[in-house]
Amino acid sequence: MGVYILKRFISMIITLFTIATITFFLMHSLPGDPFALPRETPEEVRANLEAKYGLDQPVMTQYAIYMNNLIHGDFGISMKYKGQSVIGKVQDGIPKSAVIGFGGILVGCIVGIVFGIIAALNRGKGFDYLIIVIAILGVSVPSFVFASLLQYAFAVKIPIFKVAGWGGLVFIVLPITAAMMQNMAFYARMLRSSMLDVLNQDYVFTARSKGLLKGEVITKHVVRNSLLPLVTSLGPMFAGAITGNFVIEKIFNIPGIGQALIIAIQNSDYTMIMGLTIIFSFITVIMYFVVDIVYGLVDPRIRIAK
């Protein structure tokens, strides 16, 4: 187990190094710079700003400086907002993004699993077709459409919640509902398909032939084994929850790190783009690692050490 963790750690470092390198050179190859917009900056001021942030140095020198700072945990200062550090922005934005993201996953997961079980146990019946239609709508309709409809229905026509902003329960219900739709549809479809496959396995027939109650067979044998594909999908899904629902945050004006990255890209804020990309990547690889561990716990036949 220790060797496995060490290998995964080394792999994680290489992955992050590769992502940081590619992002750095791609970003510097794009047209524009942090001091070009929204208005023309005087040449003297521009030269001073470029010298302050090291942009007057050759790209390879900038790369070496940035990587050296990164190794020492320094993600830099925003080039667009005076005195605002990347870490400070992340610390401020992650809790807000996580509330919306985890809320969307939790609600979507619960509703999706319930729908998936109902659909599988009622295959070919009315409930099955109804859930399939709901799942198709959840997958095919973009989240910004759901978000706009929810805003119009429950914040404009029936003013129960707020259209946009951040501050309390009335602000987060609609974003979480919009964020959970695709998760719900994904889990419902996946669990229905997985359960239909497991229901035809020999060990399920064996369990029934032993006289186990139907409910016991479903909960102990069918649902548990059907959840394996869902566990695999949790890693990137949880990473996405923390790193932000970009579109949802933008529509509801939620000051999370998803919206922060969009603003950084619009402003060509190099340090903010680099820092957020690396942190997003770090969270993603960590989540994949955790999923591997959970996967082995859910299915004892799998031995991570192998």
Side-chain angles (χ1 to χ4, degrees):
M1 190 66 179
V3 175
Y4 172 77
I5 293 175
L6 179 62
K7 287 181 178 178
R8 289 301 307 270
F9 179 77
I10 295 173
S11 172
M12 187 173 66
I13 297 299
I14 294 173
T15 301
L16 292 175
F17 173 78
T18 304
I19 291 173
T21 301
I22 293 174
T23 305
F24 183 90
F25 286 107
L26 279 177
M27 192 174 57
H28 281 76
S29 67
L30 296 176
D33 62 69
F35 312 118
L37 296 175
R39 60 179 183 272
E40 287 294 330
T41 306
E43 283 302 322
E44 186 177 349
V45 175
R46 184 189 184 89
N48 289 335
L49 288 171
E50 289 181 348
K52 176 181 179 182
Y53 291 103
L55 296 180
D56 57 342
Q57 301 291 323
V59 175
M60 287 305 297
T61 303
Q62 293 181 44
Y63 172 72
I65 293 173
Y66 184 83
M67 296 304 287
N68 181 60
N69 292 337
L70 190 62
I71 291 172
H72 292 86
D74 182 5
F75 285 81
I77 303 294
S78 169
M79 293 182 177
K80 205 67 183 179
Y81 301 103
K82 186 177 180 181
Q84 188 170 35
S85 70
V86 175
I87 293 298
K89 186 64 181 176
V90 170
Q91 290 175 337
D92 181 59
I94 273 189
K96 303 175 179 67
S97 295
V99 167
I100 303 303
F102 282 124
I105 288 180
L106 180 63
V107 178
C109 186
I110 293 173
V111 176
I113 288 175
V114 172
F115 277 7
I117 293 174
I118 293 174
L121 297 179
N122 294 276
R123 184 182 184 183
K125 299 179 181 177
F127 277 124
D128 187 21
Y129 293 125
L130 177 62
I131 290 171
I132 289 175
V133 170
I134 294 173
I136 291 174
L137 286 175
V139 171
S140 57
V141 178
S143 58
F144 66 84
V145 175
F146 281 122
S148 301
L149 291 174
L150 289 170
Q151 283 178 321
Y152 179 74
F154 299 106
V156 178
K157 300 300 289 184
I158 308 174
I160 303 174
F161 304 106
K162 299 295 184 183
V163 175
W166 184 259
L169 189 62
V170 292
F171 289 94
I172 66 173
V173 171
L174 296 184
I176 288 177
T177 305
M180 76 96 180
M181 292 301 294
Q182 289 196 339
N183 295 328
M184 178 273 295
F186 175 77
Y187 281 119
R189 293 172 69 244
M190 180 178 285
L191 189 61
R192 176 185 179 276
S193 176
S194 182
M195 276 193 65
L196 291 177
D197 181 56
V198 173
L199 282 169
N200 292 319
Q201 296 296 318
D202 291 339
Y203 61 84
V204 175
F205 291 112
T206 302
R208 287 176 176 170
S209 66
K210 287 181 178 178
L212 293 178
L213 298 175
K214 182 179 178 180
E216 199 172 2
V217 174
I218 295 298
T219 54
K220 288 188 176 180
H221 296 281
V222 178
V223 173
R224 179 179 179 182
N225 290 293
S226 301
L227 288 175
L228 285 175
L230 276 66
V231 174
T232 309
S233 69
L234 284 177
M237 195 165 285
F238 274 117
I242 298 175
T243 54
N245 292 277
F246 299 91
V247 176
I248 299 295
E249 289 186 11
K250 187 68 178 177
I251 291 176
F252 289 98
N253 194 28
I254 297 169
I257 54 175
Q259 184 172 205
L261 181 59
I262 293 175
I263 295 173
I265 293 172
Q266 291 172 338
N267 292 323
S268 297
D269 192 342
Y270 292 165
T271 49
M272 194 66 78
I273 294 172
M274 283 295 299
L276 292 175
T277 302
I278 293 170
I279 290 170
F280 287 179
S281 304
F282 176 76
I283 293 172
T284 302
V285 295
I286 287 292
M287 288 298 174
Y288 272 110
F289 175 75
V290 172
V291 165
D292 284 345
I293 303 295
V294 174
Y295 197 79
L297 294 175
V298 172
D299 187 356
R301 295 169 297 179
I302 298 174
R303 294 291 179 266
I304 295 176
K306 295 179 180 179

